[in-house]
Amino acid sequence: MRVTLSFDSWTDGARELKTLVNELDRWEVHCAETLSVTFTDDDAGGLEPIALRVVQAPRALANEKVGVGACLWDGAIILGAYLACQPRHTYIGCGVVELGAGVGMLSTLLCKLGARKVYATDLDKVLELLRQNADANGCTENMEVMGLEWGVGCGHLDKADALNESFSGGYPDLVIASDVTYHDNEACVQPDTIEFVRLCRRLCGPKTEVLIGLERRSGAVRDGFIAEIGKVFGDVSVVDMRKVKGFPKALCVDHIDVWRLRL
């Protein structure tokens, strides 16, 4: 698998096309207003690469207008590469919920991989950017954008129940998230992590798989996350990317984990 990111960059005052192949460079990526992201499986027997367009709002990254949902983060790239490495039929017909979708790259990827219905959710202030990305990738028919915030008093569990009712089996087949558990402080586990895990649990039926990309920004947050998922999920593991067929060795990084959860 090759993951290629292409975007306009500036060098010595001149604009040039920059291309990253199986490489993470968030500072360069976060400066781009649009990105081309392509997943190419050279061993797929002639299958076409999966090409996505990512619309960003880099000027809104550091303010309250959009915040961290304005740009693509490394955890989504890692999780996206993992999804793209699965056999092409894996997600055909699936129902999916993405939590904290940001620019929605994972949601649009799953639409391209054949998911029947994808709910891309985030804070209300991010939704317009999510809609732009759904439109840019021709995913408006099977990708629905909606507001979903978790935390004390947010009503997120009721919204999860309503989402579950929209799936034929009563629950989504897949719940995904990346770079969403980093708000807690170093002293203790705060409601952000606790309520996020409760929300994941509420969206899970007996056959639902949860995949979460988690960057190791804070030891306390990671420890708290592990403790919380252990309370409500019976099947918890970290995906060993070195054993995933076709996963780029250069993207097997120590600072980002992909967690797989099942009831």
Side-chain angles (χ1 to χ4, degrees):
M1 176 67 62
R2 283 182 286 122
V3 182
T4 305
L5 279 70
S6 300
F7 50 91
D8 283 340
S9 182
W10 291 88
T11 301
D12 297 328
R15 177 176 287 186
E16 64 176 9
L17 180 66
K18 182 160 187 175
T19 300
L20 303 176
V21 180
N22 295 340
E23 182 182 352
L24 301 175
D25 189 338
R26 74 177 61 178
W27 312 119
E28 287 272 14
V29 166
H30 285 180
C31 292
E33 293 187 352
T34 60
L35 304 164
S36 295
V37 182
T38 306
F39 299 90
T40 305
D41 188 347
D42 295 317
D43 298 321
L47 286 176
E48 290 293 321
I50 303 168
L52 306 175
R53 183 168 182 258
V54 177
V55 180
Q56 302 194 126
R59 294 178 180 84
L61 181 61
N63 61 40
E64 290 300 315
K65 185 177 180 181
V66 179
V68 295
C71 293
L72 180 65
W73 292 82
D74 293 348
I77 296 171
I78 297 294
L79 182 50
Y82 171 78
L83 295 172
C85 281
Q86 307 310 304
R88 284 288 177 94
H89 66 270
T90 303
Y91 302 108
I92 292 176
C94 283
V96 180
V97 176
E98 182 177 8
L99 302 175
V103 294
M105 191 271 283
L106 294 175
S107 288
T108 58
L109 172 60
L110 283 160
C111 288
K112 299 289 187 181
L113 289 171
R116 177 180 56 83
K117 185 68 174 182
V118 179
Y119 289 95
T121 74
D122 210 314
L123 302 175
D124 289 345
K125 63 184 181 181
V126 185
L127 300 187
E128 177 55 33
L129 187 58
L130 260 176
R131 294 188 184 99
Q132 291 178 36
N133 277 281
D135 184 62
N137 289 281
C139 297
T140 53
E141 290 190 6
N142 54 341
M143 176 176 161
E144 183 169 338
V145 173
M146 63 177 292
L148 180 55
E149 179 179 0
W150 56 86
V152 177
C154 288
H156 50 299
L157 300 184
D158 291 337
K159 291 182 179 180
D161 291 340
L163 271 175
N164 289 338
E165 292 178 1
S166 70
F167 295 105
S168 58
Y171 295 95
D173 301 290
L174 179 66
V175 176
I176 56 172
S178 66
D179 293 300
V180 296
T181 52
Y182 50 84
H183 291 296
D184 295 344
N185 61 37
E186 293 285 348
C188 59
V189 180
Q190 297 293 303
D192 280 332
T193 294
I194 295 171
E195 296 303 323
F196 170 71
V197 174
R198 290 182 69 198
L199 176 58
C200 290
R201 169 62 183 87
R202 196 66 159 248
L203 289 166
C204 281
K207 297 182 180 180
T208 304
E209 181 178 58
V210 181
L211 294 172
I212 300 172
L214 180 66
E215 184 165 340
R216 301 185 186 187
R217 292 184 175 89
S218 161
V221 171
R222 184 174 186 272
D223 292 345
F225 170 76
I226 293 171
E228 292 302 315
I229 59 177
K231 294 176 183 178
V232 295
F233 289 95
D235 185 356
V236 174
S237 61
V238 177
V239 179
D240 187 347
M241 293 302 178
R242 296 167 300 179
K243 296 181 180 179
V244 175
K245 183 180 179 181
F247 191 86
K249 291 183 179 179
L251 294 181
C252 295
V253 294
D254 293 333
H255 65 288
I256 297 174
D257 297 324
V258 172
W259 289 81
R260 180 190 287 118
L261 315 177
R262 290 182 181 272
L263 292 182

